[in-house]
Amino acid sequence: MLGSVFMDLGIAMGLGLLVGLQKERSESPLAGLRTFTLVSLAGAVAALVAAETTPWVIAAGLLSVTALMVTGNAILMKAGGDDAGQTTEAAVLVMYLLGALVVVGPREAAIVCGGTTAMLLHLREELRGWVDRLSDRDVRAIMQFVVISLVILPVLPDQTYDPYDVISPRNVWWMVVLIVGLNLAGYGAFRVMGARAGTALAGVLGGVISSTATTISYARQTKTEPDMGATAVVIVWVASGVVFIRILLEIAAVSPTFLPVAAGPLLLMLSVFAVLSAFVWRSGTTPGESPLKPGNPSELKPAVLFGALYAFVLFVVAAGQELLGDVGLYAAAAVSGLTDVDAITLSTSQLVESGRLPATTGWRLVLIAILSNMVFKLVMAATLGSKEFARKLGGLGVIALVAGAAILFLWS
């Protein structure tokens, strides 16, 4: 018991020292290394005393720390100091409460919050620079994601309303949040890296944002810039390979039990794409201004449309299994995968997680959808791109389709 008390006090002091070190280096006139250490230690002591007396001891300590900050600011202003910000004051109060949280628990949460506080204080200039680089469109995307994930999701009912007992409004919107979050991450990476990314990075970003959109964009560019053909093939092929990583992330988020079964065949397909990417790689090729112009990934209308598509695919897969067996499932996967692989992946993962679909059937549905999407992209390349671009991408696509078919039939 005594050892645990000393450990709590030591952790509280360590967190105070960590945050105080940063403020000491920034030469804060209000609080530095010693002040932050004493404040977090005071929080831990208050919590220990409160455990033996009354919880109001913690509140009294918080009021005392607040009074000290007010007094310190008054003295600083009287001496002609200029400290208009409130970051130090807020950090002092946070560290007092974290000192108390170390004792009250969970201790791990206090440690994480203390480390996060230190990083936020240390990255002051970097965060300001990042915010300055944000456009109104970027801020709008972030705020709309907040609406989608933190405003709409909590109020949706968590019960099913369909005859197959698979469509729950909250579950459907969870999938929307997942996909919009992935798209927002890709959009953010694109904004940070810029349109003039290297060839491989352009392909990776294209795969995160949308491999189909990447194919269409670069196919059109090869029509006007024939010299771009070789680089465009590499970018589109890398983007198509990244789809497998995106799919595995989606499966892991929805059905961790499905992931070990699906990982084998999907990683084998990823290795096929990786080998072919290395084969077509041209050293020193870099794209010019990228034709890929990702829109706002958090727009509410596309989010609602994806939610509707996911619910429809989930219903069709459940109905197909019920009425037509595996034939209906494979047909639904092939059709739904033509333009969007995410919906069938998420719906399949959901059914596998709930025990309504065997995992061995599930990964085959996902792979069929991916191969169907590859066929669609090859058609787009032949329709919109140059003959050279379509020929090279078509050759790669045929190899991938044959490899995918072999995995479908031979993988047990």
Side-chain angles (χ1 to χ4, degrees), residues 2 11 22 76 100 110 112 117 122 137 166 220 245 253 364 376:
L2 188 60
I11 292 174
Q22 195 285 325
L76 188 63
V112 171
T117 301
H122 180 68
R137 185 183 183 187
V166 293
R220 287 172 174 165
I245 300 176
R364 286 183 168 83
F376 178 80

Side-chain angles (χ1 to χ4, degrees), residues 76-110:
L76 188 63
M77 293 175 64
K78 188 174 181 180
D82 182 18
D83 186 32
Q86 296 291 307
T87 305
T88 300
E89 293 86 334
V92 167
L93 296 179
V94 167
M95 292 312 299
Y96 172 82
L97 293 173
L98 290 181
L101 184 61
V102 169
V103 176
V104 176
R107 182 187 293 165
E108 295 79 5

Side-chain angles (χ1 to χ4, degrees), residues 201-264:
L201 183 57
V204 171
L205 294 179
V208 174
I209 296 171
S210 170
S211 63
T212 302
T214 301
T215 303
I216 293 173
S217 297
Y218 279 97
R220 287 172 174 165
Q221 191 175 25
T222 59
K223 276 285 192 180
T224 57
E225 301 178 43
D227 294 341
M228 183 69 182
T231 299
V233 170
V234 175
I235 293 172
V236 169
W237 197 250
V238 170
S240 299
V242 171
V243 168
F244 290 94
I245 300 176
R246 178 184 174 111
I247 293 302
L248 288 170
L249 289 175
E250 293 174 3
I251 292 174
V254 177
S255 179
T257 57
F258 180 32
L259 181 62
V261 180

Side-chain angles (χ1 to χ4, degrees), residues 15 50 93 101 106 114 123 165 180 194 202 218 227 248 256 283 313 343 363 383 399:
L15 293 176
L93 296 179
L101 184 61
L123 297 176
D165 197 33
V180 172
Y218 279 97
D227 294 341
L248 288 170
S283 61
V313 171
W363 72 257
T383 304
I399 297 174

Side-chain angles (χ1 to χ4, degrees), residues 22 116-129:
Q22 195 285 325
T116 303
T117 301
M119 288 301 300
L120 285 174
L121 294 173
H122 180 68
L123 297 176
R124 173 185 175 185
E125 297 302 324
E126 289 81 356
L127 290 172
R128 281 185 174 179

Side-chain angles (χ1 to χ4, degrees), residues 35-49:
T35 302
F36 272 96
T37 304
L38 291 172
V39 166
S40 59
L41 182 61
V45 171
L48 290 171
V49 174

